[in-house]
Amino acid sequence: MAYSLDKIDLQLLEILQKDSNQTTKRIAEQLGMTTSPVFERIKKLEKEGYIKKYVAVLDNKKIGLKLTVFIGIALQGHTRSYLEKFVKEINNFPEIVECHRVSGNFDYLLKLVVEDIEAYETFIISKLTLLPYLGNVQSLITLSTGKETNEIDLSRI
Amino acid sequence: MAYSLDKIDLQLLEILQKDSNQTTKRIAEQLGMTTSPVFERIKKLEKEGYIKKYVAVLDNKKIGLKLTVFIGIALQGHTRSYLEKFVKEINNFPEIVECHRVSGNFDYLLKLVVEDIEAYETFIISKLTLLPYLGNVQSLITLSTGKETNEIDLSRI
DNA sequence: AATGAAAATTTAGAACT
DNA sequence: AGTTCTAAATTTTCATT
């Protein structure tokens, strides 16, 4: 690792994970410091790659994307070249927000965000089932979501 | 809905989803507009709740959290009060980043981010299995991740 | 590494088309 | 809704400790 994080860095990451739109001054106040060192630490965390990017978090439901579905997929063939092709195809579907290769009862776990059940069905019929070598496919349709965040608890590090 | 999004609003959301740390001026340039109306539109999108917040996206692996696990859980009891209690307990575990109530072969799907397999095992033994009424529990351990984003493709709206 | 201050840039809003 | 202009605030750099 290029350099290790001290306590202040971790606090900074916690703050920025929760809300990245605060002024450096306000962040510095929370840490009991002045702006300059805070500013420099943030730049360092960005440069070293601890912070990958800053993004706006949207309200999917409000935008009209009301349905989240998880899809477990087992494949019938496991050649390396086929797996790579599968991932590539999957990544190009705009409905897919996550694609994980997993161990367990499935080979892949997908997370899908779509308008509604109809859009989900359309995805299954006109996109997913066209892929070759599909084995067992199991969907978990989200009814409600208790927690959904990127925020990592850093107090345990 | 309080007001509907026009094409420019959707473009704005696309831009801010990818990178929220740009100056209004630079965003305005991408849209071929001046800063003021862009600034006002952003404030409106925030106020109306289309933009929930702005956050820093961290590199979990670099921070030492190398393992993502999905856990499907079926419960043996389904009384309303128990479900509520279960969700509440789950949400308090810092390892859990997502908790969805689902239909299908499980009642809940959890997403867990931890240091390594040991931390995962500790979670299962000393936290999860202490909850009452657990039925079938199935873990999918992530081997690699092809795609993982919050970013919603808005071109289809 | 942190402080304090100066310079450069951006934000936020008023006046106007 | 959009443009231009401007004061206030913030970001960013840097000499100093």
Side-chain angles (χ1 to χ4, degrees), chain B residues 48-61:
Chain B
E48 301 273 348
Y50 291 97
I51 297 170
K52 289 202 282 192
K53 57 182 174 174
Y54 298 92
V55 302
V57 178
L58 308 187
D59 187 329
N60 292 344
K61 284 194 181 152

Side-chain angles (χ1 to χ4, degrees), chain B:
Chain B
M1 217 178 286
Y3 90 114
S4 61
L5 302 173
D6 66 13
K7 205 178 158 186
I8 296 171
D9 289 322
L10 290 171
Q11 284 182 77
L12 244 176
L13 291 175
E14 288 262 27
I15 290 169
L16 293 171
Q17 261 190 316
K18 287 206 173 67
D19 178 8
S20 64
N21 247 26
Q22 304 175 71
T23 63
T24 311
K25 191 182 166 189
R26 220 176 100 201
I27 295 169
E29 279 163 11
Q30 293 171 64
L31 296 170
M33 296 165 78
T34 52
T35 60
S36 300
V38 171
F39 177 78
E40 273 159 27
R41 277 171 182 270
I42 292 171
K43 289 301 152 199
K44 202 167 178 179
L45 290 167
E46 290 167 2
K47 199 179 162 193
E48 301 273 348
Y50 291 97
I51 297 170
K52 289 202 282 192
K53 57 182 174 174
Y54 298 92
V55 302
V57 178
L58 308 187
D59 187 329
N60 292 344
K61 284 194 181 152
K62 208 155 184 179
I63 289 164
L65 300 167
K66 300 204 164 75
L67 185 62
T68 298
V69 184
F70 291 89
I71 308 178
I73 297 177
L75 295 180
Q76 284 173 345
H78 280 102
T79 69
R80 186 190 172 84
S81 70
Y82 178 63
L83 292 186
E84 281 168 4
K85 209 175 141 193
F86 178 82
V87 171
K88 210 172 162 185
E89 289 268 20
I90 286 291
N91 287 351
N92 284 335
F93 296 143
E95 299 90 343
I96 301 289
V97 295
E98 298 188 27
C99 171
H100 305 270
R101 173 125 174 79
V102 294
S103 78
N105 289 336
F106 296 100
D107 294 312
Y108 286 94
L109 183 72
L110 310 181
K111 183 179 179 179
L112 195 84
V113 176
V114 288
E115 285 84 340
D116 48 30
I117 282 282
E118 273 184 63
Y120 161 69
E121 208 184 342
T122 302
F123 171 81
I124 296 291
I125 291 170
S126 68
K127 293 189 178 175
L128 188 68
T129 55
L130 299 186
L131 297 176
Y133 305 111
L134 281 187
N136 184 23
V137 174
Q138 191 181 113
S139 290
L140 297 174
I141 305 222
T142 296
L143 303 174
S144 67
T145 293
K147 186 175 188 176
E148 190 171 27
T149 182
N150 274 316
E151 206 182 313
I152 298 295
D153 176 87
L154 299 177
S155 62
R156 51 184 153 136
I157 297 191

Side-chain angles (χ1 to χ4, degrees), chain A residues 117-136:
Chain A
I117 282 282
E118 273 185 62
Y120 161 69
E121 209 184 341
T122 302
F123 172 82
I124 296 290
I125 292 172
S126 68
K127 293 188 179 176
L128 188 68
T129 55
L130 299 187
L131 296 175
Y133 304 113
L134 282 186
N136 184 24

Side-chain angles (χ1 to χ4, degrees), chain A residues 12-100:
Chain A
L12 244 177
L13 291 176
E14 289 261 26
I15 291 169
L16 292 172
Q17 262 190 315
K18 287 205 172 67
D19 179 7
S20 63
N21 248 26
Q22 305 174 74
T23 64
T24 313
K25 192 180 167 190
R26 218 175 102 201
I27 295 169
E29 278 163 10
Q30 292 171 63
L31 295 170
M33 295 166 77
T34 52
T35 60
S36 303
V38 172
F39 176 78
E40 273 159 25
R41 276 172 182 269
I42 292 171
K43 289 300 153 200
K44 203 167 178 178
L45 291 167
E46 290 167 1
K47 199 179 160 191
E48 301 273 347
Y50 292 96
I51 296 169
K52 289 201 282 190
K53 56 182 175 175
Y54 298 93
V55 302
V57 178
L58 307 188
D59 186 329
N60 292 343
K61 284 194 183 154
K62 210 156 181 178
I63 289 164
L65 300 167
K66 300 204 163 76
L67 185 63
T68 298
V69 183
F70 292 90
I71 308 178
I73 296 177
L75 295 180
Q76 285 174 344
H78 280 101
T79 69
R80 187 190 172 84
S81 70
Y82 178 63
L83 292 185
E84 281 168 5
K85 208 174 142 193
F86 179 81
V87 172
K88 210 173 162 185
E89 290 267 20
I90 287 291
N91 286 351
N92 284 334
F93 295 143
E95 299 89 344
I96 302 289
V97 294
E98 298 189 28
C99 170
H100 305 271

